[in-house]
Amino acid sequence: WLKGCPNRSLQNVSSQSLFVVVAMYTRFVEPGRLALITYGPCAGKMCTVVDIVDQKRVVVDGPESVTGVRRHMMPVKRLSLTDFTSKIARGAREKTLRLELEEDGVMAKWSATAWAKKVKAKEVRSKMTDFDRFKLMVARKKRTAEIKKGGMKKTKK
């Protein structure tokens, strides 16, 4: 292993640098993996990988009653894989998938993550009307004035 090193003596290599622990990738494309759709008509919705077609495409399902995504084929590039999985067989029916997601509480676990909260906040902001944005601006000005007066403590977002 020292063949490519310019200094081949072990005296120049520190003992700490010999064993570097590298975190292994764990978000594999597998049946039951929860994913966020990032592009297309279903962008921003959650889905579950049901089957693997080839190296670049998978079959995903919401199920439609839970997330609003019908079963269809999709490129892996358009998915962001999450850490959550449910134990389903390859090509599982929609009913089996729905029951497994409920049993494992996967959607509840997802909703509790910072990533899900950020996606939800982005969605809420995009659906704000002009008057909602105005009310938000007024509330922010009021809060800033209170903080400058010393009436409120500054809170972390």
Side-chain angles (χ1 to χ4, degrees):
W1 59 273
L2 286 174
K3 195 175 184 182
C5 295
N7 298 330
R8 292 189 178 143
S9 67
L10 285 174
Q11 295 168 352
N12 294 338
V13 181
S14 68
S15 62
Q16 292 176 345
S17 67
L18 288 177
F19 300 102
V20 178
V21 178
V22 179
M24 190 176 147
Y25 185 77
T26 57
R27 292 182 184 175
F28 297 110
V29 178
E30 58 185 333
R33 175 71 61 184
L34 191 70
L36 178 70
I37 300 174
T38 57
Y39 184 82
C42 296
K45 293 183 181 179
M46 298 305 296
C47 66
T48 308
V49 175
V50 177
D51 200 357
I52 300 165
V53 179
D54 59 25
Q55 203 154 2
K56 293 187 176 189
R57 294 176 298 164
V58 293
V59 175
V60 296
D61 195 352
E64 191 175 12
S65 59
V66 178
T67 62
V69 177
R70 290 183 175 206
R71 184 173 291 223
H72 65 285
M73 193 165 47
M74 174 167 253
V76 177
K77 274 186 178 180
R78 296 183 178 188
L79 297 175
S80 288
L81 302 174
T82 66
D83 290 330
F84 303 105
T85 57
S86 54
K87 295 190 187 285
I88 60 166
R90 203 173 153 188
R93 300 181 334 165
E94 185 175 351
K95 183 179 178 183
T96 309
L97 175 62
R98 183 174 39 81
L99 292 173
E100 195 62 40
L101 287 175
E102 287 172 6
E103 185 182 309
D104 292 346
V106 172
M107 297 310 286
K109 289 177 189 173
W110 163 253
S111 298
T113 63
W115 185 5
K117 289 174 185 173
K118 190 185 286 187
V119 168
K120 182 71 175 168
K122 188 175 181 181
E123 183 182 318
V124 168
R125 276 196 308 272
S126 70
K127 290 183 179 178
M128 287 177 83
T129 63
D130 187 40
F131 186 58
D132 290 334
R133 285 190 289 275
F134 172 75
K135 288 192 293 187
L136 180 64
M137 179 199 66
V138 170
R140 282 183 175 165
K141 283 184 174 182
K142 194 174 185 180
R143 184 185 69 191
T144 305
E146 282 291 320
I147 290 170
K148 284 184 178 179
K149 258 200 283 187
M152 281 175 40
K153 288 185 178 178
K154 200 171 189 179
T155 56
K156 196 173 184 180
K157 286 186 180 181

